[in-house]
Amino acid sequence: MRISGIVTLILILSVSIGVNGESGHRGFAKFGTVLNFNHPSVIALTEFQKGLGIEPDQMTIQIFANAQLGDEHDLLEGLQFGQIEMGIVPLPLLTSYSPLLGALAMPYLFKNDEHRFRVLDGPLGQQLLSTLEEANLVGLGFLQTGAQHIIASQEILGKPDDFQGLNIGIICPAYDKSCHTLPAQLSIRSFETLGAIVTLFESNKAAEQLERQTIQALECSAPTALELQIYHSNLRFMALSAHTTTPDVIVASKRWFDTLSPEVQDYLRKASRATITYQRHLWAIAEQEAFNALKSEGVQVETVERGTLRREVQPLYVSMEHTLGEKFTRIFESITAVH
């Protein structure tokens, strides 16, 4: 993904932070991500130093982007064993260790981005991040990855009848090629509940599959639709359903984090918050640019009525309550209580 007017990062971006200790002593910490250097999340890491609010002193954090430290599974394992100090991890991977995080991927759960951010940045978001500690991880905050919409060969108005027998494609990420993670399964089941027929696409083969297979709709974000050049297919109507989103998470190795002083831990939390704020701003720009580009290519972008669809997928909420118990019920009630 590219953002106009923003300079591409160099191969390794160094960020220094101050820690307690003897003058001249320097520590080294690796920050890994599979995202490329033009991605809003990687560009936003330039805010890490500013967010610390202190002069560079004794520790150097180096950002290794574009999967330099391995794929998502390698990164997660490295974080758990303390071989990698910090990183960006997709939420779906983390639900294997904390199923309650999957509640954030429930369809039609959030009213809009503002509602989502208030939840993620508030007490409930922090509570959910704390569940990662049992997996030797420290969650430092949620990055924006964009809402998933529906782009179809015919207009989607938001009525249940729109989905009856609709062949819709779902793109499985590289780290979950068969869409086995909880958020992916929730997406599949939500469309099946509405009467749709789901076809799974591999992320690295999605463009090729779109050329070979005739589908009637595809679940994707605006930047993904633009990257796939969806306007060359039969899919020309984009319904802004914003039915789900699965954020990325800034994560630290607990083994490493616990060796730091409380002061340095606070510095890192503050820097993470600054990075997240800037990243969301960059993502909003990228998303709007994608919408504008799609419209210029003839894609019709329309809002849809979400209320009816939210009621239609209610059985999925009941199923999750049975699976996760009262904790899920309390999470859902807490989210709906946030205004």
Side-chain angles (χ1 to χ4, degrees):
M1 179 187 304
R2 294 185 179 274
I3 300 179
S4 59
I6 298 178
V7 179
T8 302
L9 294 185
I10 59 174
L11 186 62
I12 298 179
L13 170 67
S14 295
V15 182
S16 299
I17 68 172
V19 297
N20 293 330
E22 297 179 3
S23 176
H25 174 73
R26 298 185 65 83
F28 175 78
K30 299 181 293 296
F31 194 121
T33 175
V34 302
L35 302 173
N36 64 52
F37 301 107
N38 291 302
H39 194 282
S41 296
V42 180
I43 295 172
L45 289 172
T46 59
E47 287 296 292
F48 213 89
Q49 171 64 35
K50 297 177 184 177
L52 290 167
I54 57 175
E55 293 298 321
D57 189 12
Q58 294 172 319
M59 179 182 287
T60 297
I61 293 182
Q62 288 192 320
I63 313 301
F64 293 85
N66 206 28
Q68 288 178 298
L69 300 181
D71 64 18
E72 291 93 342
H73 294 280
D74 296 328
L75 179 59
L76 182 55
E77 182 177 314
L79 286 163
Q80 289 181 292
F81 285 96
Q83 298 163 339
I84 299 172
E85 288 75 23
M86 297 185 71
I88 296 174
V89 180
L91 180 138
L93 272 186
L94 296 173
T95 59
S96 298
Y97 304 96
S98 174
L100 287 176
L101 281 171
L104 298 175
M106 292 298 292
Y108 306 100
L109 176 60
F110 296 102
K111 301 171 186 175
N112 47 42
D113 281 345
E114 289 72 23
H115 180 216
R116 182 183 303 110
F117 296 156
R118 284 194 292 272
V119 170
L120 297 181
D121 299 340
L124 178 59
Q126 297 308 304
Q127 176 187 335
L128 290 172
L129 288 174
S130 70
T131 63
L132 293 172
E133 294 187 7
E134 293 183 5
N136 280 328
L137 301 169
V138 177
L140 296 174
F142 297 95
L143 295 164
Q144 172 73 312
T145 57
Q148 297 294 301
H149 304 293
I150 302 166
I151 186 163
S153 58
Q154 60 186 16
E155 192 173 9
I156 299 289
L157 301 176
K159 298 181 297 183
D161 289 347
D162 294 338
F163 294 89
Q164 286 296 323
L166 185 73
N167 188 345
I168 185 167
I170 291 180
I171 300 174
C172 303
Y175 59 81
D176 182 26
K177 293 182 179 180
S178 300
C179 280
H180 284 319
T181 60
L182 178 56
Q185 286 297 306
L186 287 172
S187 188
I188 293 169
R189 290 167 59 191
S190 67
F191 285 122
E192 290 178 341
T193 299
L194 292 170
I197 301 168
V198 174
T199 298
L200 300 183
F201 283 19
E202 292 184 36
S203 60
N204 61 340
K205 299 179 181 178
E208 178 185 339
Q209 286 180 282
L210 277 172
E211 293 179 0
R212 293 201 321 264
Q213 294 182 250
T214 301
I215 58 172
Q216 297 166 297
L218 180 71
E219 176 195 60
C220 64
S221 66
T224 298
L226 182 62
E227 183 179 350
L228 292 174
Q229 297 183 342
I230 204 75
Y231 42 80
H232 290 318
S233 73
N234 63 320
L235 309 179
R236 310 287 293 182
F237 297 89
M238 190 166 202
L240 299 183
S241 56
H243 52 278
T244 189
T245 184
T246 52
D248 286 340
V249 184
I250 297 180
V251 175
S253 167
K254 191 173 186 299
R255 293 189 178 190
W256 171 71
F257 198 78
D258 287 348
T259 67
L260 305 175
S261 70
E263 182 183 14
V264 174
Q265 292 178 0
D266 287 342
Y267 289 155
L268 291 171
R269 293 185 189 279
K270 181 180 178 182
S272 296
R273 288 194 295 270
T275 298
I276 288 167
T277 298
Y278 187 40
Q279 188 267 353
R280 290 173 182 172
H281 168 70
L282 293 179
W283 184 271
I285 294 174
E287 190 171 50
Q288 188 57 56
E289 288 181 349
F291 280 129
N292 292 341
L294 290 169
K295 290 177 182 178
S296 70
E297 294 289 347
V299 176
Q300 296 186 37
V301 180
E302 304 289 346
T303 57
V304 296
E305 169 54 46
R306 289 161 34 96
T308 302
L309 297 177
R310 169 66 179 80
R311 290 189 291 272
E312 289 293 318
V313 298
Q314 182 61 28
L316 204 53
Y317 282 78
V318 175
S319 175
M320 283 290 284
E321 288 177 353
H322 289 159
T323 302
L324 299 179
E326 292 183 3
K327 290 183 178 180
F328 172 81
T329 303
R330 289 197 295 270
I331 290 172
F332 172 67
E333 291 174 348
S334 297
I335 290 174
T336 55
V338 174
H339 299 289

